Structures are given as C-alpha cells and as structure tokens.
Amino acid sequence: MALEEGQNGGAEKVAVEVSFKSFKPQLFVEASKANDAVQFYKTAFGAVETCRTTQPKRKADQELPHIVSAQLQLAGSTFVVSGLSDDSASTKAGGTLFAMCLETEDLEAAVTKAVAAGAVAEGGIVEGEGACCCAERVTTVKDPYGFAWQFCSPADECGANVEA
Amino acid sequence: MALEEGQNGGAEKVAVEVSFKSFKPQLFVEASKANDAVQFYKTAFGAVETCRTTQPKRKADQELPHIVSAQLQLAGSTFVVSGLSDDSASTKAGGTLFAMCLETEDLEAAVTKAVAAGAVAEGGIVEGEGACCCAERVTTVKDPYGFAWQFCSPADECGANVEA
C-alpha cells in the first residue's frame, strides 16, 4: 500500500496503488434455493461451474449442504452465486442482493482508496467465510450510488467440490 | 436458432443453441448522477472507460447531456453504468437497479432458452436505446431469483465519445 500526494492540485488527495486480479458480480440467493439457481444459470445460459464451497450439513441428516458460494463462467467472464444465510457475510453486505467482487492482495489499500473516493466501509475484514468463492478474507464497501463492492483475497485453491 | 428434443428423458425439454459474446454487469444510476458515478469508479477502482453513449441535450442549454450508458473495464472484465430515466429501457428492466448484459447475435433464441428454463420475458425487443452501451437491440428477462438479464445485440461500433 503506497501513499503519496495527488498530482493534480489536490493536496488532500490520497493516491493509493491497488491492483485487482479479478472482477466478479455476485448474486445473493436464499440459501435453500442456491442449488436451484446455479442449475438455472447452467440451463438457461450455458454457464459452467468452476468452484463450489458449501456449509457443513446441519439440522436434518437428509438436508443437502447449502451453497456458500458457487463460481460460474459465462461468455469469458465469471460470476458468483452465494447463498444468503443469517450468519453469513453476505447478509452484512449492505442489504443488497448483489455485490461486485474485486480480488486483490491488499484489502486494506483497496478500502483506503475507495473510502478516499467517497465509498463507505461496511464493517471490517471477515476471515474464512468463502463469500466470494474460496476467498479467505473479505470486506465490503458501499459506493455513493448504493452498490456494494466486496474486496476478496485471491482464491488460489479454488476448484474443489465442483458439480458438473 | 435450433430447436430439438432434449436427450435426457424430458420429451418436453427444449434445447436451443445460443452463443454469448460477452457478459457484463450493468449498474443503473439516476441519470443526473451517472457522470459522477463513472468518475467514482475510475477514481476508486482504476476503471477505464471504453465507450459512452449520451442523450442529446435537453431542457436547459447549460445542462450536460446525460449518460445513457458508459462501458468500463476493470481487472480484465467489463461493466456498464447506465443512467436511469423515465423513458429508457432501463426503467423497464423489472425495477431492479442492476442487470446482467449478455451480448448475442440471436436475442430471440436467448429469450426462448431462458424462458424454457424458467425465466419470464419482460416486454419485447427494444431498438436503438443503447442500453448496454451501443447495442442496437435489447430485451430483458427476469430469472426465478429476481435478477434481470438483458440480451443485447453485439456492439461492434463501440468506442466513440469516450472520456478519459
């Protein structure tokens, strides 16, 4: 994270170098319907699933594990379907039903730069929720136009638990 | 558009071949704030604008033309910021503040396949609105989970009116 003065007249301007590795829209779906939603995007648009993280089984034995996040590829881009549950980071993502995920090595710098530009940080960094599919650290900012952006640590180990 | 029977037991199943050229999330912002929003995404995330379509000036002479759609590149992906106005296709896109744009040569086939999978078509094909940035034909379906998907004709002439 590099801090320096802006060049174009604004002495107060903060220039932070942030590099983003990927950009993925994330759609939040009620957890019990997330499996169906993933199947729908495969059937309707030909999306291909490349990653899935699930919660451990809970409550009844016959209940399938809920999807935390499934990553889908479509027309050369990637998007994420996440199950909404009361205790997930998703629910804390500002109440919207979608967010934009930006993968970056430096979550703190990304938040600093976004906040300097007018975004509002929503809570701190959450560890180990897999919210953007396999990301280990996630944090959220809300932009001035009401959209949620999630900064996620890179997910290098993605690929397990994929259902064709 | 090819129609054939499904192979896996469902005699009623419709298999339609659809190829998507690109996939872009689209954020709808109040028209008077769309310029500011584009500037914010450049400043906060380092997005690069690659296309802009604007409405002709209207009302007062001093009023800047509103953005219909601006296309931005970020971390190897593309997204679109569109100004919301009463008479735009955006407003008709199911009342959500965002949509997913899928570029395709065959809008009709895309709608057929999506509807067969459970989506609901929202109105017909709209011509010449530039809703997905330079697309000449656009139509919208709502998926069973509340998300709007816009099928857009390919935008080969994009690139004019870009502001750095």
Side-chain angles (χ1 to χ4, degrees):
Chain A
M1 169 168 157
L3 285 171
E4 57 189 47
E5 280 192 11
Q7 295 179 336
N8 44 357
E12 300 295 323
K13 207 163 177 178
V14 177
V16 182
E17 295 301 321
V18 183
S19 155
F20 296 112
K21 187 181 168 190
S22 74
F23 166 77
K24 303 168 195 167
Q26 183 179 22
L27 308 181
F28 296 108
V29 175
E30 195 184 313
S32 63
K33 294 179 181 172
N35 266 303
D36 291 345
V38 168
Q39 188 54 52
F40 171 84
Y41 298 125
K42 293 178 184 175
T43 306
F45 307 128
V48 175
E49 188 174 345
T50 56
C51 169
R52 174 177 294 203
T53 56
T54 54
Q55 290 178 333
K57 279 194 185 186
R58 51 181 196 174
K59 295 177 187 166
D61 277 347
Q62 68 274 22
E63 193 176 280
L64 282 174
H66 283 164
I67 288 178
V68 176
S69 288
Q71 185 168 287
L72 296 158
Q73 287 194 329
L74 176 52
S77 294
T78 302
F79 69 107
V80 174
V81 176
S82 293
L84 269 176
S85 61
D86 293 341
D87 56 350
S88 76
S90 314
T91 314
K92 300 168 197 156
T96 60
L97 289 173
F98 92 111
M100 307 294 215
C101 290
L102 287 168
E103 237 180 323
T104 180
E105 297 280 355
D106 194 340
L107 276 67
E108 290 82 357
V111 171
T112 300
K113 187 170 183 178
V115 168
V120 176
E122 305 247 328
I125 291 173
V126 180
E127 308 267 347
E129 296 243 356
C132 284
C133 219
C134 308
E136 290 188 355
R137 302 172 73 231
V138 179
T139 192
T140 305
V141 299
K142 183 78 78 75
D143 77 24
Y145 311 95
F147 299 108
W149 296 75
Q150 294 209 7
F151 301 121
C152 308
S153 57
D156 295 328
E157 307 268 325
C158 215
N161 302 319
V162 175
E163 286 192 8
Chain B
M1 169 168 158
L3 284 170
E4 56 189 47
E5 280 193 11
Q7 294 180 339
N8 43 358
E12 300 296 321
K13 207 163 179 178
V14 177
V16 181
E17 295 301 321
V18 184
S19 157
F20 296 112
K21 187 181 168 189
S22 74
F23 166 77
K24 303 168 196 166
Q26 182 179 22
L27 308 181
F28 295 107
V29 174
E30 196 184 313
S32 63
K33 295 180 179 170
N35 267 303
D36 291 345
V38 168
Q39 189 55 51
F40 171 84
Y41 298 125
K42 293 177 185 175
T43 306
F45 307 128
V48 175
E49 187 174 346
T50 56
C51 169
R52 174 177 293 203
T53 55
T54 53
Q55 290 177 334
K57 279 194 186 185
R58 50 180 197 173
K59 294 177 188 164
D61 276 348
Q62 69 273 23
E63 192 175 279
L64 282 174
H66 283 163
I67 288 178
V68 176
S69 288
Q71 185 168 288
L72 296 158
Q73 287 194 330
L74 176 52
S77 293
T78 303
F79 71 107
V80 174
V81 176
S82 292
L84 270 176
S85 62
D86 293 341
D87 55 350
S88 76
S90 314
T91 314
K92 300 169 197 156
T96 61
L97 288 172
F98 93 110
M100 307 293 216
C101 290
L102 286 168
E103 237 180 324
T104 180
E105 297 281 354
D106 194 340
L107 275 67
E108 290 83 356
V111 171
T112 299
K113 188 170 182 178
V115 168
V120 176
E122 304 248 329
I125 291 172
V126 179
E127 308 267 346
E129 297 243 355
C132 284
C133 219
C134 308
E136 289 188 355
R137 302 172 73 229
V138 179
T139 192
T140 306
V141 300
K142 183 78 78 74
D143 78 24
Y145 311 95
F147 299 108
W149 296 76
Q150 292 209 9
F151 301 121
C152 308
S153 58
D156 295 327
E157 306 268 325
C158 215
N161 302 318
V162 175
E163 286 192 7

